[in-house]
Amino acid sequence: MRRTVFNEDHEAFRQTIRDFIAAEVVPHYPEWAEQGYVPRELYRKLGELGVFGIEVPEEYGGAGETSFKFNAVITEECARAGVSFGGSSVHTALCLPYILKYGNEEQKKRWLPSFVSGEMMTAIAMTEPGTGSDLAGMKTTAKLSEDGTHYVLNGAKTFITGGVQADRVLVCARTSAPARPAAADGQRSAQAGSREDRRGGISILVVDAKSEGYAVGRKLDKLGLRASDTAELSFTDVKVPVEDLLGEEGKAFEYLTHNLPQERLGIAIGAYAQSAAAVRFAHEYVKERTVFGKEVASFQNTKFVLADCKADVDAMQAVVDRALEALDAGELTPADAASAKLFTTELAARVIDKCLQLHGGYGYMLEYPIANLYADTRVSRIYGGTSEVMRTIVAKSMGL
Ligand SMILES: Cc1cc2nc3c(=O)[nH]c(=O)nc-3n(C[C@H](O)[C@H](O)[C@H](O)COP(=O)(O)OP(=O)(O)OC[C@H]3O[C@@H](n4cnc5c(N)ncnc54)[C@H](O)[C@@H]3O)c2cc1C
């Protein structure tokens, strides 16, 4: 089916990104995956290419584009080539919307030019060792100093994409206690009430990674996404100037609710694009490989499996394209985004698994891109909210 979601500008941009990946990323990617991060130099090159400034208003050095479609193109092209730009999708697709929507004029002037050039890389730290899905249960605290000039940040975060290399991290921390203590008796109504209250009192601080007391812990060893660093962070009496509070104190949950649909759509687009790449890799492989004197492509099973996968990819594409239009129109609801993420990521797992199977033993070897896709796609059912959490959101939207 002809796609109608992208126009000529998007397609020209796609070609630029495709060429950049072929020249600047693919030749070095195995080395980056081995070391577990991409070089800073890549971020500076992406800055020069304009990738970090697409949605930044012109007065701060960006292109002033309001559509998320250019980001979608980048996600698709990275998946197509089986590579990533390290933590840059977190920088642009996750962190930027918070700065643009909730940052004040002084903060935008201070941060955005170096954000756009890639000199200042950002990450976002919500998850903690003790809590991921239940974000309201976070224990990191930021206490306002008596003279009101700074917050004192204490706590720990984990699984932070780009956390090793980030210069500024959007840290979610509790600036005031929950309004009411959590119900101890386990009664359903009391629990529901306390859950609402626990969402208040959390704020976002844009913390300078050079601050005293800020420490990067282990760079975590992952199953997939091996060229993107994922880190533990800890904060011991870190002084964060009040000027680095993003938006209003205590409103982080509201902000997260507003921005998570875009993050989840980004993951859905990645799952779709990885599935499309898997079908392409499998299609190429089965045409080359002979078994019992015949092309693997000649078996009816191969044709049927790939036909099923193609139909699945078409369905995923229809979902993400419609969701992209809805996002640009400001109409993508949290439940829509959860539904798109749930559908595409669960289906991608099945499609990529089938495509790996068609490669036989070679599919299990990391020198074949399908093996990396298999490992990379696994996390899409976990991060940005697990499939179980997505089901909870969709079920709630159905009145269940
Ligand atoms: C590679 C990677 C990169 C990441 N990057 C970032 C990042 O940059 N910043 C950041 O803040 N976080 C990041 N995360 C964290 C990610 O968002 C969390 O891992 C995710 O939200 C799940 O939280 P958890 O790991 O604590 O799992 P848990 O919340 O402990 O969940 C454990 C299990 O319980 C299930 N569960 C939870 N709640 C329910 C429920 N209500 N009903 C039924 N089942 C439920 C879950 O689905 C899961 O199966 C990253 C994670 C990974 C793996």
Side-chain angles (χ1 to χ4, degrees), residues 7 24 129 149 176 186 225 229 272 284 301 331 345 366 370 376 384-385:
N7 64 25
E24 304 284 353
T149 59
S176 59
L225 298 180
D229 72 80
Y272 146 70
E284 284 166 10
N301 176 67
E331 292 167 0
T345 59
L366 286 172
I370 190 72
D376 288 353

Side-chain angles (χ1 to χ4, degrees), residues 90 94 123-135 157-163 222 224-225 228-230 263 379 381-389 392:
V90 166
L94 270 67
I124 185 161
M126 300 174 269
T127 309
E128 300 188 351
T131 189
S133 306
D134 180 19
L135 278 181
K157 298 285 177 181
T158 193
F159 302 151
I160 307 309
T161 303
K222 302 193 297 296
L225 298 180
S228 137
D229 72 80
T230 305
E263 175 180 351
V379 76
R381 289 186 277 157
I382 298 169
Y383 67 8
T386 64
S387 286
E388 292 70 30
V389 170
T392 307

Side-chain angles (χ1 to χ4, degrees), residues 158-277:
T158 193
F159 302 151
I160 307 309
T161 303
V164 173
Q165 292 178 310
D167 304 292
R168 287 248 171 201
V169 179
L170 280 66
V171 178
C172 298
R174 194 163 271 294
T175 40
S176 59
R180 258 184 277 155
D185 58 8
Q187 279 177 11
R188 199 181 153 85
S189 58
Q191 276 182 344
S194 65
R195 193 171 298 134
E196 287 307 309
D197 294 331
R198 291 191 313 143
R199 294 183 167 199
I202 296 173
S203 306
I204 302 179
L205 299 172
V206 184
V207 182
D208 186 341
K210 291 195 291 295
S211 310
E212 204 174 317
Y214 177 108
V216 177
R218 285 182 304 153
K219 182 173 79 59
L220 300 163
D221 199 13
K222 302 193 297 296
L223 177 67
L225 298 180
R226 296 194 61 86
S228 137
D229 72 80
T230 305
E232 294 174 331
L233 302 178
S234 70
F235 320 109
T236 311
D237 293 332
V238 177
K239 282 187 181 175
V240 183
V242 284
E243 290 78 17
D244 292 348
L245 170 73
L246 199 64
E248 286 179 50
E249 207 185 89
K251 292 272 179 73
F253 233 98
E254 197 182 296
Y255 300 166
L256 295 174
T257 307
H258 183 270
N259 282 358
L260 278 170
Q262 176 172 304
E263 175 180 351
R264 289 174 179 155
L265 174 58
I267 295 169
I269 293 165
Y272 146 70
Q274 286 176 327
S275 306

